[in-house]
Amino acid sequence: MQEARSKLSVHFLFTNTFERYRDTDGVDEFVGRITELYKNFDYNQKCTKEEFSESEQARLFNNYPINVVRNMARFYSNSKYILSADMNHLFSRNFERKMINLANKVYTKGNNFALTYRIFEVNQNQTKMPNTKVLLKELMKKGLAFEFHHYMAAHKIKNLSEWLNTPESHLNTDPQFNVTLTNAQWEPQFVSLRNVPFHDESFFYPVRDNTVQRWEMCHLNYQFVIANDVFMFHHGIKERQEKNTIEMARLNIFPWAFQAMTIFTNKMALLYPKTHPTCPEIDRFFGPKGKKIKSMLGRMH
């Protein structure tokens, strides 16, 4: 725990309209107040959960500058390798050591590799966490664990049975196979060197805000190296209400997302004319609203 604290940093982001804290003195004052507050904070105290309607929650999702935050965290990191994950992502046993050992082997061949790990979700009532493939496989047989967001294609990786049945090593792992990005919906999770593209800040949650980085990696000829042993899991499976809220958030920003994807596509064609034709086409007409607009445009032509 002490080691984790020594490597943990916190960043405060303010909008340009937050005049009071735009100057350095204001920021120092704010950080001082926060520091003083947490000196005397009772960590056993339970937080009161504020209730929001679905529409309010969707609006909060949209307002969160997720790619600005991702890029800020990367900018201030100082490690050789980087991994971008949510706070509630949990990792398999010896994940860090195995990935470093794999990186030491893979990156002797070049830099344009992403060490990709599989991602799962585990029933929220499960108390014993699956930190090994053996435990994960048992839960999957019982219907208590699935590939992450298993109702979508975003996190599916082929040859899962082969991966589950490959004997697990203690501190080393090897590639199962390499693959390029052929599906624009795929959102591989990975460890990489620091030279991967930054996230495009014109994309907002929850429409391709993370996938956009993978699209640019495709244009840079990245290969995604599927690691044999390591994995990540999320404790809890997305509930229907949360799905509805996210769908509402998607609809909220459809015009901006459509524009961002159009601009991005044109930029990639300009910057990477040789690789652009080999990368998957982005589906800008997502969701019910997108399909309706696509149908209308089709009738106009």
Coordinates of all heavy atoms in Angstrom, one line a residue, residues 200-238:
D200 N -7.8 11.5 -29.1 CA -8.4 12.7 -29.8 C -9.4 13.3 -28.9 O -10.4 12.7 -28.5 CB -9.0 12.3 -31.1 CG -9.4 13.4 -32.0 OD1 -10.0 14.4 -31.4 OD2 -9.2 13.4 -33.2
E201 N -9.1 14.6 -28.5 CA -9.9 15.3 -27.5 C -11.2 15.8 -28.0 O -12.0 16.4 -27.3 CB -9.1 16.3 -26.8 CG -8.0 15.8 -26.0 CD -7.1 16.8 -25.3 OE1 -7.5 18.0 -25.3 OE2 -6.1 16.4 -24.7
S202 N -11.5 15.7 -29.3 CA -12.8 16.1 -29.9 C -13.8 15.0 -29.7 O -15.0 15.2 -30.0 CB -12.6 16.4 -31.3 OG -12.2 15.3 -32.1
F203 N -13.4 13.8 -29.2 CA -14.3 12.7 -28.9 C -14.7 12.7 -27.5 O -13.9 12.9 -26.6 CB -13.7 11.3 -29.3 CG -13.6 11.1 -30.7 CD1 -12.8 11.8 -31.6 CD2 -14.3 10.0 -31.3 CE1 -12.7 11.6 -32.9 CE2 -14.3 9.8 -32.7 CZ -13.5 10.5 -33.5
F204 N -16.0 12.5 -27.2 CA -16.5 12.5 -25.8 C -17.2 11.2 -25.5 O -17.7 10.4 -26.4 CB -17.5 13.6 -25.6 CG -16.8 15.0 -25.6 CD1 -16.5 15.7 -26.7 CD2 -16.5 15.5 -24.4 CE1 -15.9 16.9 -26.7 CE2 -15.8 16.8 -24.3 CZ -15.6 17.5 -25.5
Y205 N -17.2 10.9 -24.2 CA -17.9 9.7 -23.7 C -19.4 9.8 -24.0 O -20.0 10.8 -23.8 CB -17.6 9.5 -22.2 CG -18.2 8.2 -21.6 CD1 -17.4 7.0 -21.7 CD2 -19.4 8.2 -21.0 CE1 -17.9 5.9 -21.2 CE2 -19.9 7.0 -20.5 CZ -19.1 5.9 -20.6 OH -19.6 4.7 -20.0
P206 N -20.1 8.7 -24.4 CA -19.5 7.3 -24.6 C -19.5 6.9 -26.1 O -19.9 5.8 -26.4 CB -20.5 6.5 -23.8 CG -21.9 7.2 -24.1 CD -21.5 8.7 -24.4
V207 N -19.0 7.8 -27.0 CA -19.0 7.4 -28.4 C -17.6 7.4 -28.9 O -17.0 8.4 -29.2 CB -19.9 8.4 -29.2 CG1 -19.9 7.9 -30.7 CG2 -21.3 8.4 -28.7
R208 N -17.0 6.2 -29.0 CA -15.7 5.9 -29.6 C -14.6 6.8 -29.0 O -13.6 7.0 -29.7 CB -15.8 6.2 -31.1 CG -16.9 5.4 -31.9 CD -16.8 3.9 -31.6 NE -17.7 3.2 -32.5 CZ -18.3 2.1 -32.1 NH1 -18.1 1.6 -30.9 NH2 -19.1 1.4 -32.9
D209 N -14.8 7.2 -27.8 CA -13.7 8.1 -27.2 C -12.4 7.3 -26.9 O -11.4 7.9 -27.0 CB -14.3 8.6 -25.8 CG -14.8 7.5 -24.9 OD1 -15.9 7.1 -25.1 OD2 -14.1 7.1 -24.0
N210 N -12.5 6.0 -26.7 CA -11.3 5.2 -26.5 C -10.9 4.5 -27.8 O -9.7 4.4 -28.1 CB -11.6 4.1 -25.4 CG -10.3 3.7 -24.7 OD1 -9.3 4.3 -24.9 ND2 -10.4 2.7 -23.9
T211 N -11.9 4.1 -28.6 CA -11.6 3.4 -29.8 C -10.8 4.2 -30.8 O -10.1 3.7 -31.6 CB -12.9 2.9 -30.5 OG1 -13.8 2.5 -29.5 CG2 -12.7 1.8 -31.4
V212 N -11.0 5.5 -30.7 CA -10.4 6.4 -31.7 C -8.9 6.3 -31.7 O -8.2 6.4 -32.7 CB -10.8 7.9 -31.5 CG1 -10.4 8.4 -30.1 CG2 -10.3 8.8 -32.6
Q213 N -8.3 6.0 -30.5 CA -6.9 5.8 -30.4 C -6.5 4.6 -31.2 O -5.4 4.6 -31.8 CB -6.5 5.7 -28.9 CG -4.9 5.5 -28.7 CD -4.6 5.0 -27.4 OE1 -5.2 4.1 -26.9 NE2 -3.6 5.6 -26.8
R214 N -7.3 3.5 -31.1 CA -7.0 2.3 -31.8 C -7.0 2.5 -33.3 O -6.3 1.9 -34.0 CB -7.9 1.2 -31.4 CG -7.6 0.5 -30.0 CD -7.8 1.5 -28.8 NE -7.8 0.8 -27.6 CZ -7.7 1.4 -26.4 NH1 -7.7 2.7 -26.3 NH2 -7.7 0.7 -25.3
W215 N -8.0 3.3 -33.7 CA -8.1 3.6 -35.2 C -6.8 4.2 -35.7 O -6.3 3.9 -36.7 CB -9.2 4.6 -35.4 CG -10.6 4.0 -35.2 CD1 -10.9 2.7 -35.1 CD2 -11.8 4.7 -34.9 NE1 -12.3 2.5 -34.8 CE2 -12.8 3.8 -34.7 CE3 -12.1 6.1 -34.9 CZ2 -14.1 4.1 -34.5 CZ3 -13.4 6.4 -34.6 CH2 -14.4 5.5 -34.4
E216 N -6.2 5.2 -34.9 CA -5.0 5.8 -35.4 C -3.8 4.8 -35.3 O -2.9 4.8 -36.2 CB -4.7 7.0 -34.5 CG -3.4 7.8 -35.1 CD -3.3 9.2 -34.6 OE1 -4.2 9.7 -33.9 OE2 -2.4 9.9 -35.0
M217 N -3.8 3.9 -34.3 CA -2.8 2.9 -34.2 C -2.8 2.0 -35.4 O -1.8 1.5 -35.9 CB -3.0 2.1 -32.9 CG -2.7 2.9 -31.7 SD -3.2 2.0 -30.1 CE -2.0 0.7 -30.1
C218 N -4.0 1.7 -36.0 CA -4.1 0.9 -37.2 C -3.4 1.6 -38.3 O -2.6 1.0 -39.1 CB -5.6 0.7 -37.5 SG -5.8 -0.1 -39.1
H219 N -3.6 2.9 -38.4 CA -2.9 3.7 -39.5 C -1.4 3.7 -39.3 O -0.7 3.9 -40.3 CB -3.5 5.1 -39.5 CG -4.8 5.2 -40.1 ND1 -6.0 5.0 -39.3 CD2 -5.3 5.5 -41.3 CE1 -7.0 5.1 -40.0 NE2 -6.7 5.5 -41.3
L220 N -0.9 3.5 -38.1 CA 0.5 3.5 -37.8 C 1.1 2.0 -37.9 O 2.2 1.8 -37.4 CB 0.8 4.1 -36.5 CG 0.6 5.6 -36.4 CD1 0.6 6.0 -34.9 CD2 1.7 6.3 -37.1
N221 N 0.3 1.1 -38.4 CA 0.7 -0.3 -38.6 C 1.0 -1.0 -37.3 O 1.9 -1.9 -37.2 CB 1.9 -0.4 -39.5 CG 1.5 -0.3 -41.0 OD1 0.5 -0.8 -41.4 ND2 2.4 0.4 -41.7
Y222 N 0.2 -0.7 -36.2 CA 0.4 -1.4 -35.0 C -0.1 -2.9 -35.1 O -1.1 -3.1 -35.7 CB -0.4 -0.7 -33.8 CG 0.5 0.2 -33.1 CD1 0.8 1.5 -33.6 CD2 1.1 -0.1 -31.8 CE1 1.6 2.4 -32.9 CE2 1.9 0.8 -31.1 CZ 2.1 2.0 -31.7 OH 2.9 2.9 -31.0
Q223 N 0.6 -3.8 -34.4 CA 0.1 -5.1 -34.2 C -0.3 -5.3 -32.7 O 0.4 -4.8 -31.8 CB 1.2 -6.1 -34.6 CG 1.4 -6.2 -36.1 CD 2.3 -7.4 -36.4 OE1 2.0 -8.5 -36.0 NE2 3.4 -7.2 -37.1
F224 N -1.4 -6.0 -32.5 CA -1.9 -6.2 -31.2 C -1.5 -7.7 -30.8 O -2.0 -8.6 -31.4 CB -3.4 -6.0 -31.1 CG -3.8 -4.6 -31.4 CD1 -4.1 -4.2 -32.7 CD2 -3.9 -3.7 -30.3 CE1 -4.4 -2.8 -32.9 CE2 -4.2 -2.4 -30.6 CZ -4.5 -1.9 -31.9
V225 N -0.6 -7.8 -29.8 CA -0.1 -9.0 -29.4 C -0.9 -9.6 -28.3 O -0.9 -9.0 -27.2 CB 1.4 -8.9 -28.9 CG1 2.0 -10.2 -28.5 CG2 2.2 -8.2 -30.0
I226 N -1.7 -10.6 -28.5 CA -2.6 -11.2 -27.5 C -1.8 -12.0 -26.5 O -1.2 -13.0 -26.9 CB -3.7 -12.1 -28.2 CG1 -4.3 -11.3 -29.4 CG2 -4.7 -12.5 -27.1 CD1 -5.0 -10.0 -29.0
A227 N -1.7 -11.6 -25.3 CA -0.9 -12.3 -24.3 C -1.7 -13.5 -23.8 O -2.9 -13.5 -23.6 CB -0.6 -11.3 -23.1
N228 N -0.9 -14.6 -23.5 CA -1.5 -15.8 -23.2 C -2.1 -15.9 -21.8 O -3.2 -16.5 -21.6 CB -0.5 -17.0 -23.4 CG -1.0 -18.0 -24.4 OD1 -2.2 -18.2 -24.5 ND2 -0.1 -18.6 -25.1
D229 N -1.4 -15.4 -20.8 CA -1.8 -15.7 -19.4 C -2.6 -14.5 -18.7 O -3.5 -14.8 -17.9 CB -0.6 -16.0 -18.5 CG -0.1 -17.4 -18.7 OD1 -0.8 -18.1 -19.4 OD2 1.0 -17.7 -18.2
V230 N -2.2 -13.3 -19.0 CA -2.8 -12.2 -18.2 C -4.2 -11.8 -18.7 O -4.6 -12.0 -19.8 CB -1.8 -11.0 -18.3 CG1 -0.5 -11.3 -17.7 CG2 -1.6 -10.6 -19.8
F231 N -4.9 -11.2 -17.7 CA -6.2 -10.7 -18.1 C -6.7 -9.7 -17.0 O -6.1 -9.5 -16.0 CB -7.3 -11.9 -18.1 CG -7.4 -12.7 -16.9 CD1 -8.4 -12.3 -15.9 CD2 -6.6 -13.8 -16.6 CE1 -8.6 -13.0 -14.8 CE2 -6.8 -14.5 -15.4 CZ -7.8 -14.1 -14.5
M232 N -7.7 -9.0 -17.3 CA -8.3 -8.1 -16.4 C -9.8 -8.4 -16.3 O -10.4 -9.1 -17.1 CB -8.2 -6.7 -17.0 CG -8.7 -5.5 -16.1 SD -10.5 -5.3 -16.1 CE -10.8 -4.6 -17.7
F233 N -10.4 -8.1 -15.1 CA -11.8 -8.3 -15.0 C -12.5 -7.2 -14.2 O -11.8 -6.4 -13.4 CB -12.1 -9.7 -14.3 CG -11.5 -9.8 -12.9 CD1 -12.3 -9.5 -11.8 CD2 -10.2 -10.2 -12.7 CE1 -11.8 -9.6 -10.5 CE2 -9.7 -10.3 -11.4 CZ -10.5 -10.0 -10.3
H234 N -13.7 -7.0 -14.4 CA -14.5 -6.0 -13.8 C -15.5 -6.7 -12.8 O -16.2 -7.7 -13.3 CB -15.3 -5.2 -14.8 CG -16.2 -4.2 -14.2 ND1 -17.6 -4.4 -14.0 CD2 -16.0 -2.9 -13.8 CE1 -18.1 -3.4 -13.5 NE2 -17.2 -2.4 -13.4
H235 N -15.6 -6.4 -11.6 CA -16.4 -7.0 -10.6 C -17.8 -6.4 -10.7 O -18.1 -5.3 -10.2 CB -15.9 -6.9 -9.2 CG -16.6 -7.7 -8.2 ND1 -16.7 -7.4 -6.8 CD2 -17.3 -8.9 -8.3 CE1 -17.4 -8.3 -6.2 NE2 -17.8 -9.2 -7.1
G236 N -18.7 -7.1 -11.4 CA -20.1 -6.6 -11.6 C -20.4 -6.5 -13.1 O -19.5 -6.3 -13.9
I237 N -21.6 -6.8 -13.4 CA -22.1 -6.8 -14.8 C -23.0 -5.6 -15.0 O -23.9 -5.4 -14.2 CB -22.7 -8.1 -15.1 CG1 -21.7 -9.3 -15.0 CG2 -23.3 -8.1 -16.5 CD1 -22.3 -10.7 -15.0
K238 N -22.8 -4.9 -16.1 CA -23.6 -3.7 -16.4 C -25.1 -4.0 -16.3 O -25.6 -4.9 -17.0 CB -23.2 -3.2 -17.7 CG -23.8 -1.8 -18.0 CD -23.2 -1.2 -19.2 CE -21.7 -0.8 -19.0 NZ -21.1 -0.1 -20.2

